[in-house]
Amino acid sequence: PDGKHLAPGSLDRPCHVYAISPAEGSANVIQPLTSHSRRASCITFSQDGQRFASGSVDGSVCLWCLRRKKIIGQPMIAHETPVRSLAFSRDGTLLASGSEKGEIRLWNTQRQEQIGGPLAGHTESVVALAFGPNKQLASGSYDRTVRVWSASPLEASPRHTLRGHTGPVCSVAFDRSGMTLASGAHDG
């Protein structure tokens, strides 16, 4: 969010967070992600740029403090299958995690506790998550659907299921007002 940090993923080595300096043309490793038992599969930054979260193929989610360069608390056992997507709410109080199995879980970031049960509805991997300004949550899946959920108050069933893509949905995003939702898919 601040343009000063980068967290690229890799299939063959652990992920790292880099401090980037465009003026100097340099990037320095400031944090290797070593708290997962297996490699990290997704990363997201909070909007204030103070924290980031990482999800792993081992099913765990970790919260990190960027300033202190260390994990906050302990890894959370989030899913039985690999974590494929993460998103912070705009105020940073909630974190959503999506799994390869098609489940979505919501987390209270202050207490690092799961809120309610899993949000079920997708039949394949959830690879895209995005919060709107009113804590509505959009999810995109390999099942070719976009679903919109209420995260506050939490509702276990989606408010809307959007169909129309002919390929896996790989990205979702709300505009600033939360009135428009865009989705991208492997269908062109």
Side-chain angles (χ1 to χ4, degrees), residues 115-128:
I115 300 169
L119 305 181
H122 286 294
T123 58
E124 295 186 44
S125 185
V126 176
V127 295

Side-chain angles (χ1 to χ4, degrees), residues 18-147:
Y18 294 86
I20 56 174
S21 175
E24 297 174 14
S26 65
N28 299 309
V29 174
I30 62 167
Q31 181 65 52
L33 304 183
T34 58
S35 290
H36 298 290
S37 66
R38 296 180 60 201
R39 71 174 172 81
S41 53
C42 52
I43 298 173
T44 189
F45 285 90
S46 61
Q47 290 219 344
D48 64 8
Q50 301 299 310
R51 294 172 297 163
F52 66 96
S54 59
S56 172
V57 296
D58 67 11
S60 69
V61 171
C62 294
L63 289 175
W64 302 82
C65 176
L66 197 53
R67 185 175 46 83
R68 287 189 240 139
K69 302 178 179 98
K70 67 178 194 174
I71 190 171
I72 300 168
Q74 297 295 315
M76 297 176 285
I77 305 307
H79 299 278
E80 295 174 0
T81 60
V83 179
R84 294 297 181 207
S85 53
L86 295 167
F88 278 102
S89 61
R90 294 187 181 189
D91 64 4
T93 61
L94 299 176
L95 178 69
S97 61
S99 78
E100 191 169 276
K101 185 178 176 182
E103 290 182 337
I104 301 166
R105 296 186 187 266
L106 289 180
W107 303 89
N108 176 308
T109 58
Q110 298 301 316
R111 295 191 306 265
Q112 293 188 358
E113 293 176 350
Q114 184 177 330
I115 300 169
L119 305 181
H122 286 294
T123 58
E124 295 186 44
S125 185
V126 176
V127 295
L129 293 166
F131 277 97
N134 297 318
K135 293 193 179 170
Q136 68 267 34
L137 175 67
S139 57
S141 170
Y142 272 38
D143 67 9
R144 301 181 312 275
T145 66
V146 174
R147 296 177 193 256

Side-chain angles (χ1 to χ4, degrees), residues 169-183:
V169 178
C170 56
S171 61
V172 291
F174 284 99
D175 72 348
R176 291 188 84 65
S177 72
M179 299 302 293
T180 302
L181 173 64
S183 61

